[in-house]
Amino acid sequence: MRALALYGALGSLVLTGLASPPAGGTVRDPAAPPAPVHPLAFGRCAAVEHLPPTVECGTLTVPLDYARPNGKKIKLTVSRARATEPGARQGALVFNPGGPGASSMQFPLYGALPHWQRTARAYDFVGYAPRGVGRSAPLSCQDPQEFAKAPTDSARYPSDAFKRRKVAEARAYARGCAQRAGADLPFYNSINNARDLDMLRAALGEKKLTFMGASYGTYFGAVYATLFPGHVRRMIFDSVVNPEPRQIWYRNNLDQSLAFERRWHDWLRWVAKHHDTYHLGTRQEAVQHSYDTALARLRRTPLNGKIGPAQLQGAFLKTGYNDAFWSMRADALSKYLHGDAKPLAAQAMPSGDGKDEENANAVYTAVECNDAAWPRDWRTWDRDNTSLARTAPFETWDNVWMNLPCAFWPDRRESAADGAEEALRTATDRAAKGGANGGELADAYRNATATELDDALRGQRGPLNIRTEPGALPPVLLLAAERDAATPYPGALELQRRLPGSSLVTERGAGTHGVALGDNACVNAHVEAYLLRGKVPGHRVYCAPRAEPVPGQPLRRARPSLIPTVKGR
């Protein structure tokens, strides 16, 4: 450990203290949260949250590292709208929309939407920004302006030169994460997200948790169910991540790329079916050719100087998440090819200064890279994805570039050493200016040596083996669409096997990601029966698919948080 050699004496003292057994040997209360917690104090929301006065906000303090609950603390932002019928109140419903890297701070607004009103009568709607997201100890790996640079290229079958450039970018991105976050970086992971969730439950004054997680929210929600089964009241897992440890996360991303290809062809067939409206071809091959024509044109001449192949690909990737995008994307592509670029510019133009997008991407990367071991040899990635792209070219390589920083991710000891070196530089600078403060330096080296000891005692830890014993967990409700691309359907079957007594509701033949309280009345009835009365359907039940999109149908904004804010999960 590079910088630790400079402070061997300090490290020896810390190691000696850590090696001593704790006094007392007290047994921890199984109903207690994982660290001391204080009730949340709610008040006016900060202006940056853009929430109305009907929503109140608070701040939850949690340990950065739960192994050291009295060490460094971080603060998570929380939002709440109280149940609209206090006499019918059943408790708090906490929601997470996935990502990793997405926030549910706007979830309290859902209570005013028609499909959610009955649930809002009985529950406080609670949203929050998980660690690293928004104002909750925010993570950053790159200058947002650099991250948001456009136009950029996307290659379905990349050349060797293109691959070398992307490998260099991934290596630099991982290095940026380590430099900016330092010793804190390893603590942004799914197990800590689950522990934070239990801290939130306790701070809300809830003896048992009622939780709805979508997409990645189903994974760390399942981690929570494994760690704290006795703390669960009701849980809904909507669009389920495959929790098999060997799938986390490299193989899940391979499966996802394959599933996106199938979903992309669903869209191509639908557009071809409506050739009279869009004039993009009567067969899916012709529609693909129309898309490729637009891609080539944007490569030659980026639209408005900002929209190139990668921006087009990012916009059309959303057709794989939600068929509410089908009509508007087909219309934009058609008009662009026939001389009207305005709709495509409106739908594909990068928004804002890139700060939110860079933050979301940093959290996504940190959580997935920290959760599990990834292949460290680029040749493995190249072999697997070159083979996959032969049958699934639409999303495969873009998915690789998003996740490739995990091949170069620092381990916990490297991150701790980075933090120690940064603290040393800071202390040296302050000393030169006459303002030395050794506290941060001591904390950094204490963390680094403790991390080294953890690894020596316990070795490298992999993903949690998600599983509960029969009867340990109340019945939970799983929701899945058969043709979901972001979380392929086998993941729901796998999680059901691991949570005895769980019930799975399947939307047949559908592919919209996030099915709860949307456009399927059958699914909605099961969700409301479960949340309001605790009633679960049979072991496996099936609902007919929602109606196909209608050409010219506008995008409905009923559930903005389930429209993906973080690509990949």
Side-chain angles (χ1 to χ4, degrees), residues 52 54-55 81-82 84 106-121 123 125 558:
T54 52
V55 179
R82 293 183 179 274
T84 57
Q106 293 198 348
F107 176 61
L109 302 180
Y110 283 30
L113 301 173
H115 288 324
W116 294 80
Q117 286 179 352
R118 283 188 290 272
T119 305
R121 293 172 191 161
Y123 288 96
F125 276 26

PDB file of all heavy atoms in Angstrom, residues 52 54-55 81-82 84 106-121 123 125 558:
ATOM      1  N   PRO A  52     -43.312  20.511  -4.317  1.00  0.00           N
ATOM      2  CA  PRO A  52     -44.303  21.477  -3.815  1.00  0.00           C
ATOM      3  C   PRO A  52     -44.390  21.452  -2.291  1.00  0.00           C
ATOM      4  O   PRO A  52     -43.878  20.534  -1.636  1.00  0.00           O
ATOM      5  CB  PRO A  52     -45.601  20.984  -4.456  1.00  0.00           C
ATOM      6  CG  PRO A  52     -45.394  19.511  -4.624  1.00  0.00           C
ATOM      7  CD  PRO A  52     -43.943  19.337  -4.949  1.00  0.00           C
ATOM      8  N   THR A  54     -46.656  20.557  -0.419  1.00  0.00           N
ATOM      9  CA  THR A  54     -47.349  19.379   0.115  1.00  0.00           C
ATOM     10  C   THR A  54     -46.381  18.249   0.454  1.00  0.00           C
ATOM     11  O   THR A  54     -46.766  17.290   1.125  1.00  0.00           O
ATOM     12  CB  THR A  54     -48.368  18.857  -0.912  1.00  0.00           C
ATOM     13  OG1 THR A  54     -47.701  18.666  -2.174  1.00  0.00           O
ATOM     14  CG2 THR A  54     -49.508  19.844  -1.090  1.00  0.00           C
ATOM     15  N   VAL A  55     -45.146  18.351  -0.007  1.00  0.00           N
ATOM     16  CA  VAL A  55     -44.124  17.343   0.275  1.00  0.00           C
ATOM     17  C   VAL A  55     -43.144  17.922   1.295  1.00  0.00           C
ATOM     18  O   VAL A  55     -42.726  19.076   1.187  1.00  0.00           O
ATOM     19  CB  VAL A  55     -43.366  16.936  -1.006  1.00  0.00           C
ATOM     20  CG1 VAL A  55     -42.281  15.912  -0.692  1.00  0.00           C
ATOM     21  CG2 VAL A  55     -44.342  16.385  -2.042  1.00  0.00           C
ATOM     22  N   ALA A  81     -44.820  12.433   1.587  1.00  0.00           N
ATOM     23  CA  ALA A  81     -46.175  12.981   1.572  1.00  0.00           C
ATOM     24  C   ALA A  81     -47.017  12.078   2.465  1.00  0.00           C
ATOM     25  O   ALA A  81     -47.029  10.854   2.296  1.00  0.00           O
ATOM     26  CB  ALA A  81     -46.751  13.022   0.164  1.00  0.00           C
ATOM     27  N   ARG A  82     -47.698  12.654   3.420  1.00  0.00           N
ATOM     28  CA  ARG A  82     -48.460  11.856   4.382  1.00  0.00           C
ATOM     29  C   ARG A  82     -49.683  11.215   3.737  1.00  0.00           C
ATOM     30  O   ARG A  82     -50.219  11.718   2.744  1.00  0.00           O
ATOM     31  CB  ARG A  82     -48.882  12.733   5.570  1.00  0.00           C
ATOM     32  CG  ARG A  82     -47.700  13.200   6.410  1.00  0.00           C
ATOM     33  CD  ARG A  82     -48.184  13.988   7.612  1.00  0.00           C
ATOM     34  NE  ARG A  82     -47.096  14.445   8.457  1.00  0.00           N
ATOM     35  CZ  ARG A  82     -46.545  13.732   9.428  1.00  0.00           C
ATOM     36  NH1 ARG A  82     -46.989  12.506   9.655  1.00  0.00           N
ATOM     37  NH2 ARG A  82     -45.575  14.229  10.160  1.00  0.00           N
ATOM     38  N   THR A  84     -53.274  10.338   2.722  1.00  0.00           N
ATOM     39  CA  THR A  84     -54.345  11.324   2.545  1.00  0.00           C
ATOM     40  C   THR A  84     -55.553  11.043   3.433  1.00  0.00           C
ATOM     41  O   THR A  84     -56.398  11.917   3.617  1.00  0.00           O
ATOM     42  CB  THR A  84     -54.784  11.366   1.068  1.00  0.00           C
ATOM     43  OG1 THR A  84     -55.204  10.058   0.653  1.00  0.00           O
ATOM     44  CG2 THR A  84     -53.635  11.834   0.184  1.00  0.00           C
ATOM     45  N   GLN A 106     -39.050  12.317  -5.905  1.00  0.00           N
ATOM     46  CA  GLN A 106     -40.341  12.783  -6.403  1.00  0.00           C
ATOM     47  C   GLN A 106     -41.464  11.758  -6.208  1.00  0.00           C
ATOM     48  O   GLN A 106     -42.614  12.030  -6.568  1.00  0.00           O
ATOM     49  CB  GLN A 106     -40.227  13.145  -7.883  1.00  0.00           C
ATOM     50  CG  GLN A 106     -39.342  14.363  -8.130  1.00  0.00           C
ATOM     51  CD  GLN A 106     -39.559  14.979  -9.501  1.00  0.00           C
ATOM     52  OE1 GLN A 106     -40.204  14.388 -10.367  1.00  0.00           O
ATOM     53  NE2 GLN A 106     -39.030  16.161  -9.702  1.00  0.00           N
ATOM     54  N   PHE A 107     -41.168  10.625  -5.621  1.00  0.00           N
ATOM     55  CA  PHE A 107     -42.195   9.607  -5.424  1.00  0.00           C
ATOM     56  C   PHE A 107     -43.412  10.118  -4.656  1.00  0.00           C
ATOM     57  O   PHE A 107     -44.548   9.712  -4.965  1.00  0.00           O
ATOM     58  CB  PHE A 107     -41.595   8.388  -4.729  1.00  0.00           C
ATOM     59  CG  PHE A 107     -42.602   7.320  -4.394  1.00  0.00           C
ATOM     60  CD1 PHE A 107     -43.329   6.687  -5.399  1.00  0.00           C
ATOM     61  CD2 PHE A 107     -42.834   6.936  -3.080  1.00  0.00           C
ATOM     62  CE1 PHE A 107     -44.263   5.701  -5.103  1.00  0.00           C
ATOM     63  CE2 PHE A 107     -43.763   5.960  -2.771  1.00  0.00           C
ATOM     64  CZ  PHE A 107     -44.480   5.341  -3.783  1.00  0.00           C
ATOM     65  N   PRO A 108     -43.275  10.994  -3.649  1.00  0.00           N
ATOM     66  CA  PRO A 108     -44.480  11.479  -2.956  1.00  0.00           C
ATOM     67  C   PRO A 108     -45.515  12.109  -3.882  1.00  0.00           C
ATOM     68  O   PRO A 108     -46.697  12.161  -3.535  1.00  0.00           O
ATOM     69  CB  PRO A 108     -43.917  12.502  -1.965  1.00  0.00           C
ATOM     70  CG  PRO A 108     -42.545  12.000  -1.663  1.00  0.00           C
ATOM     71  CD  PRO A 108     -42.047  11.470  -2.978  1.00  0.00           C
ATOM     72  N   LEU A 109     -45.095  12.584  -5.066  1.00  0.00           N
ATOM     73  CA  LEU A 109     -46.046  13.186  -6.003  1.00  0.00           C
ATOM     74  C   LEU A 109     -46.946  12.142  -6.653  1.00  0.00           C
ATOM     75  O   LEU A 109     -47.999  12.480  -7.196  1.00  0.00           O
ATOM     76  CB  LEU A 109     -45.290  13.955  -7.092  1.00  0.00           C
ATOM     77  CG  LEU A 109     -44.351  15.073  -6.619  1.00  0.00           C
ATOM     78  CD1 LEU A 109     -43.674  15.730  -7.819  1.00  0.00           C
ATOM     79  CD2 LEU A 109     -45.114  16.106  -5.807  1.00  0.00           C
ATOM     80  N   TYR A 110     -46.542  10.867  -6.613  1.00  0.00           N
ATOM     81  CA  TYR A 110     -47.326   9.822  -7.277  1.00  0.00           C
ATOM     82  C   TYR A 110     -48.724   9.689  -6.682  1.00  0.00           C
ATOM     83  O   TYR A 110     -49.643   9.240  -7.343  1.00  0.00           O
ATOM     84  CB  TYR A 110     -46.628   8.465  -7.137  1.00  0.00           C
ATOM     85  CG  TYR A 110     -45.446   8.232  -8.034  1.00  0.00           C
ATOM     86  CD1 TYR A 110     -44.644   9.277  -8.461  1.00  0.00           C
ATOM     87  CD2 TYR A 110     -45.112   6.953  -8.436  1.00  0.00           C
ATOM     88  CE1 TYR A 110     -43.546   9.047  -9.270  1.00  0.00           C
ATOM     89  CE2 TYR A 110     -44.020   6.713  -9.250  1.00  0.00           C
ATOM     90  CZ  TYR A 110     -43.240   7.768  -9.662  1.00  0.00           C
ATOM     91  OH  TYR A 110     -42.166   7.535 -10.464  1.00  0.00           O
ATOM     92  N   GLY A 111     -48.874  10.045  -5.417  1.00  0.00           N
ATOM     93  CA  GLY A 111     -50.154   9.864  -4.746  1.00  0.00           C
ATOM     94  C   GLY A 111     -51.298  10.598  -5.405  1.00  0.00           C
ATOM     95  O   GLY A 111     -52.469  10.243  -5.211  1.00  0.00           O
ATOM     96  N   ALA A 112     -51.003  11.634  -6.184  1.00  0.00           N
ATOM     97  CA  ALA A 112     -52.056  12.402  -6.863  1.00  0.00           C
ATOM     98  C   ALA A 112     -52.471  11.765  -8.184  1.00  0.00           C
ATOM     99  O   ALA A 112     -53.466  12.188  -8.786  1.00  0.00           O
ATOM    100  CB  ALA A 112     -51.572  13.836  -7.109  1.00  0.00           C
ATOM    101  N   LEU A 113     -51.735  10.756  -8.658  1.00  0.00           N
ATOM    102  CA  LEU A 113     -52.040  10.123  -9.937  1.00  0.00           C
ATOM    103  C   LEU A 113     -53.158   9.099  -9.771  1.00  0.00           C
ATOM    104  O   LEU A 113     -53.251   8.429  -8.743  1.00  0.00           O
ATOM    105  CB  LEU A 113     -50.793   9.452 -10.503  1.00  0.00           C
ATOM    106  CG  LEU A 113     -49.600  10.394 -10.735  1.00  0.00           C
ATOM    107  CD1 LEU A 113     -48.367   9.602 -11.139  1.00  0.00           C
ATOM    108  CD2 LEU A 113     -49.937  11.435 -11.794  1.00  0.00           C
ATOM    109  N   PRO A 114     -54.027   8.957 -10.768  1.00  0.00           N
ATOM    110  CA  PRO A 114     -55.233   8.116 -10.603  1.00  0.00           C
ATOM    111  C   PRO A 114     -54.947   6.695 -10.123  1.00  0.00           C
ATOM    112  O   PRO A 114     -55.632   6.202  -9.218  1.00  0.00           O
ATOM    113  CB  PRO A 114     -55.842   8.126 -12.013  1.00  0.00           C
ATOM    114  CG  PRO A 114     -55.385   9.422 -12.601  1.00  0.00           C
ATOM    115  CD  PRO A 114     -54.001   9.648 -12.067  1.00  0.00           C
ATOM    116  N   HIS A 115     -53.955   6.019 -10.691  1.00  0.00           N
ATOM    117  CA  HIS A 115     -53.704   4.621 -10.328  1.00  0.00           C
ATOM    118  C   HIS A 115     -53.148   4.477  -8.914  1.00  0.00           C
ATOM    119  O   HIS A 115     -53.138   3.357  -8.368  1.00  0.00           O
ATOM    120  CB  HIS A 115     -52.714   3.989 -11.312  1.00  0.00           C
ATOM    121  CG  HIS A 115     -53.289   3.730 -12.666  1.00  0.00           C
ATOM    122  ND1 HIS A 115     -54.592   3.321 -12.860  1.00  0.00           N
ATOM    123  CD2 HIS A 115     -52.743   3.819 -13.910  1.00  0.00           C
ATOM    124  CE1 HIS A 115     -54.822   3.174 -14.147  1.00  0.00           C
ATOM    125  NE2 HIS A 115     -53.719   3.463 -14.815  1.00  0.00           N
ATOM    126  N   TRP A 116     -52.658   5.553  -8.329  1.00  0.00           N
ATOM    127  CA  TRP A 116     -52.000   5.471  -7.025  1.00  0.00           C
ATOM    128  C   TRP A 116     -52.849   6.031  -5.883  1.00  0.00           C
ATOM    129  O   TRP A 116     -52.463   5.931  -4.718  1.00  0.00           O
ATOM    130  CB  TRP A 116     -50.674   6.228  -7.061  1.00  0.00           C
ATOM    131  CG  TRP A 116     -49.645   5.636  -7.971  1.00  0.00           C
ATOM    132  CD1 TRP A 116     -49.568   5.773  -9.326  1.00  0.00           C
ATOM    133  CD2 TRP A 116     -48.547   4.807  -7.601  1.00  0.00           C
ATOM    134  NE1 TRP A 116     -48.485   5.083  -9.816  1.00  0.00           N
ATOM    135  CE2 TRP A 116     -47.838   4.487  -8.779  1.00  0.00           C
ATOM    136  CE3 TRP A 116     -48.069   4.313  -6.379  1.00  0.00           C
ATOM    137  CZ2 TRP A 116     -46.695   3.687  -8.784  1.00  0.00           C
ATOM    138  CZ3 TRP A 116     -46.938   3.524  -6.377  1.00  0.00           C
ATOM    139  CH2 TRP A 116     -46.266   3.216  -7.568  1.00  0.00           C
ATOM    140  N   GLN A 117     -53.991   6.627  -6.192  1.00  0.00           N
ATOM    141  CA  GLN A 117     -54.723   7.372  -5.166  1.00  0.00           C
ATOM    142  C   GLN A 117     -55.215   6.492  -4.019  1.00  0.00           C
ATOM    143  O   GLN A 117     -55.168   6.901  -2.853  1.00  0.00           O
ATOM    144  CB  GLN A 117     -55.882   8.137  -5.812  1.00  0.00           C
ATOM    145  CG  GLN A 117     -55.413   9.353  -6.593  1.00  0.00           C
ATOM    146  CD  GLN A 117     -56.549  10.107  -7.266  1.00  0.00           C
ATOM    147  OE1 GLN A 117     -57.708   9.648  -7.278  1.00  0.00           O
ATOM    148  NE2 GLN A 117     -56.242  11.257  -7.831  1.00  0.00           N
ATOM    149  N   ARG A 118     -55.711   5.295  -4.320  1.00  0.00           N
ATOM    150  CA  ARG A 118     -56.193   4.428  -3.236  1.00  0.00           C
ATOM    151  C   ARG A 118     -55.042   4.018  -2.311  1.00  0.00           C
ATOM    152  O   ARG A 118     -55.210   3.945  -1.092  1.00  0.00           O
ATOM    153  CB  ARG A 118     -56.903   3.200  -3.819  1.00  0.00           C
ATOM    154  CG  ARG A 118     -58.296   3.486  -4.332  1.00  0.00           C
ATOM    155  CD  ARG A 118     -59.029   2.203  -4.706  1.00  0.00           C
ATOM    156  NE  ARG A 118     -58.467   1.595  -5.890  1.00  0.00           N
ATOM    157  CZ  ARG A 118     -58.837   1.893  -7.134  1.00  0.00           C
ATOM    158  NH1 ARG A 118     -59.794   2.789  -7.335  1.00  0.00           N
ATOM    159  NH2 ARG A 118     -58.281   1.295  -8.164  1.00  0.00           N
ATOM    160  N   THR A 119     -53.887   3.756  -2.895  1.00  0.00           N
ATOM    161  CA  THR A 119     -52.735   3.410  -2.070  1.00  0.00           C
ATOM    162  C   THR A 119     -52.292   4.602  -1.231  1.00  0.00           C
ATOM    163  O   THR A 119     -51.901   4.449  -0.064  1.00  0.00           O
ATOM    164  CB  THR A 119     -51.570   2.934  -2.968  1.00  0.00           C
ATOM    165  OG1 THR A 119     -52.038   1.855  -3.777  1.00  0.00           O
ATOM    166  CG2 THR A 119     -50.393   2.469  -2.132  1.00  0.00           C
ATOM    167  N   ALA A 120     -52.371   5.806  -1.805  1.00  0.00           N
ATOM    168  CA  ALA A 120     -51.944   7.016  -1.090  1.00  0.00           C
ATOM    169  C   ALA A 120     -52.845   7.346   0.093  1.00  0.00           C
ATOM    170  O   ALA A 120     -52.429   8.052   1.010  1.00  0.00           O
ATOM    171  CB  ALA A 120     -51.898   8.200  -2.052  1.00  0.00           C
ATOM    172  N   ARG A 121     -54.056   6.831   0.094  1.00  0.00           N
ATOM    173  CA  ARG A 121     -54.922   7.046   1.262  1.00  0.00           C
ATOM    174  C   ARG A 121     -54.389   6.306   2.482  1.00  0.00           C
ATOM    175  O   ARG A 121     -54.558   6.753   3.615  1.00  0.00           O
ATOM    176  CB  ARG A 121     -56.338   6.559   0.956  1.00  0.00           C
ATOM    177  CG  ARG A 121     -57.069   7.375  -0.100  1.00  0.00           C
ATOM    178  CD  ARG A 121     -58.377   6.695  -0.484  1.00  0.00           C
ATOM    179  NE  ARG A 121     -58.967   7.302  -1.667  1.00  0.00           N
ATOM    180  CZ  ARG A 121     -59.879   6.716  -2.440  1.00  0.00           C
ATOM    181  NH1 ARG A 121     -60.301   5.488  -2.127  1.00  0.00           N
ATOM    182  NH2 ARG A 121     -60.369   7.335  -3.494  1.00  0.00           N
ATOM    183  N   TYR A 123     -51.072   5.039   2.893  1.00  0.00           N
ATOM    184  CA  TYR A 123     -49.624   5.077   3.160  1.00  0.00           C
ATOM    185  C   TYR A 123     -49.050   6.479   3.014  1.00  0.00           C
ATOM    186  O   TYR A 123     -49.456   7.239   2.122  1.00  0.00           O
ATOM    187  CB  TYR A 123     -48.880   4.172   2.169  1.00  0.00           C
ATOM    188  CG  TYR A 123     -49.072   2.695   2.394  1.00  0.00           C
ATOM    189  CD1 TYR A 123     -50.031   1.989   1.674  1.00  0.00           C
ATOM    190  CD2 TYR A 123     -48.288   2.001   3.310  1.00  0.00           C
ATOM    191  CE1 TYR A 123     -50.206   0.628   1.864  1.00  0.00           C
ATOM    192  CE2 TYR A 123     -48.460   0.639   3.500  1.00  0.00           C
ATOM    193  CZ  TYR A 123     -49.415  -0.043   2.781  1.00  0.00           C
ATOM    194  OH  TYR A 123     -49.586  -1.394   2.979  1.00  0.00           O
ATOM    195  N   PHE A 125     -46.179   8.260   1.399  1.00  0.00           N
ATOM    196  CA  PHE A 125     -45.298   7.945   0.280  1.00  0.00           C
ATOM    197  C   PHE A 125     -43.928   8.543   0.572  1.00  0.00           C
ATOM    198  O   PHE A 125     -43.795   9.760   0.690  1.00  0.00           O
ATOM    199  CB  PHE A 125     -45.859   8.514  -1.025  1.00  0.00           C
ATOM    200  CG  PHE A 125     -46.884   7.627  -1.691  1.00  0.00           C
ATOM    201  CD1 PHE A 125     -47.651   6.735  -0.957  1.00  0.00           C
ATOM    202  CD2 PHE A 125     -47.094   7.694  -3.058  1.00  0.00           C
ATOM    203  CE1 PHE A 125     -48.591   5.912  -1.569  1.00  0.00           C
ATOM    204  CE2 PHE A 125     -48.027   6.884  -3.689  1.00  0.00           C
ATOM    205  CZ  PHE A 125     -48.783   5.992  -2.946  1.00  0.00           C
ATOM    206  N   ALA A 558     -46.974   9.441 -16.509  1.00  0.00           N
ATOM    207  CA  ALA A 558     -47.604   9.038 -15.248  1.00  0.00           C
ATOM    208  C   ALA A 558     -46.602   8.510 -14.239  1.00  0.00           C
ATOM    209  O   ALA A 558     -46.787   8.674 -13.051  1.00  0.00           O
ATOM    210  CB  ALA A 558     -48.670   7.971 -15.506  1.00  0.00           C
TER     211      ALA A 558
END
